[in-house]
């Protein structure tokens, strides 16, 4: 398994959800399982908790959001090494769960 996956560093960068242009920006992944992240829809939405873990050969992350209309909303995602995507679920505040994916936004040269 690639070390950038097992240590979470592959998560660093910007990710776009193609079905609406939502953006996750992961600035720092710490060895204690926390991560520093921002979320945009397209305005900034507060990320109250960002956590990651590598378990059972899967790199997973959870982002808890908090803003008007987002109380209790969160993402549960995992990194898919084959596609290079973040895939998983979006849990809006007291609504149905959505299957989602995020593509990495290439960095400018």
């Amino acid at each position: 398994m690639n070390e950038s996956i097992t240590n979470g560093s592959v998560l660093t960068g910007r990710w776009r959800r193609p079905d609406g242009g939502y953006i996750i920006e992961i600035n720092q992944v710490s060895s204690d399982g926390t991560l520093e992240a921002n979320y945009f829809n397209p305005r900034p939405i507060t990320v109250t908790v960002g956590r990651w873990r590598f378990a059972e050969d899967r790199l997973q992350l959870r982002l808890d959001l908090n803003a008007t209309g987002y109380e209790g909303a969160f993402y549960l995602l995992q990194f898919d090494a084959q596609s290079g995507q973040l895939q998983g679920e979006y849990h809006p505040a007291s609504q149905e769960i959505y299957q989602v994916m995020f593509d990495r936004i290439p960095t400018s040269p």
Side-chain angles (χ1 to χ4, degrees):
M1 183 69 56
N2 186 314
E3 184 179 350
S4 68
I5 295 173
T6 59
N7 70 17
S9 64
V10 71
L11 299 173
T12 304
R14 293 172 50 88
W15 302 84
R16 178 184 300 118
R17 205 172 109 187
D19 66 336
Y22 311 102
I23 305 284
I24 294 174
E25 180 181 72
I26 300 176
N27 300 313
Q28 183 176 338
V29 177
S30 299
S31 60
D32 67 358
T34 61
L35 52 86
E36 179 186 307
N38 298 303
Y39 181 72
F40 303 92
N41 176 21
R43 297 180 337 270
I45 304 295
T46 301
V47 176
T48 56
V49 176
R51 307 263 323 148
W52 73 275
R53 71 181 187 153
F54 183 80
E56 300 171 12
D57 289 334
R58 292 185 297 166
L59 175 58
Q60 304 167 315
L61 68 135
R62 178 181 170 128
L63 297 177
D64 291 14
L65 309 176
N66 187 18
T68 302
Y70 287 83
E71 301 88 348
F74 62 94
Y75 280 99
L76 288 176
L77 304 169
Q78 58 186 346
F79 179 73
D80 181 74
Q82 195 166 29
S83 68
Q85 295 174 319
L86 296 177
Q87 302 173 350
E89 301 173 340
Y90 173 55
H91 295 251
S94 63
Q95 296 178 24
E96 68 179 278
I97 298 168
Y98 296 95
Q99 297 299 310
V100 297
M101 74 175 114
F102 286 82
D103 296 314
R104 183 181 298 279
I105 300 172
T107 55
S108 302

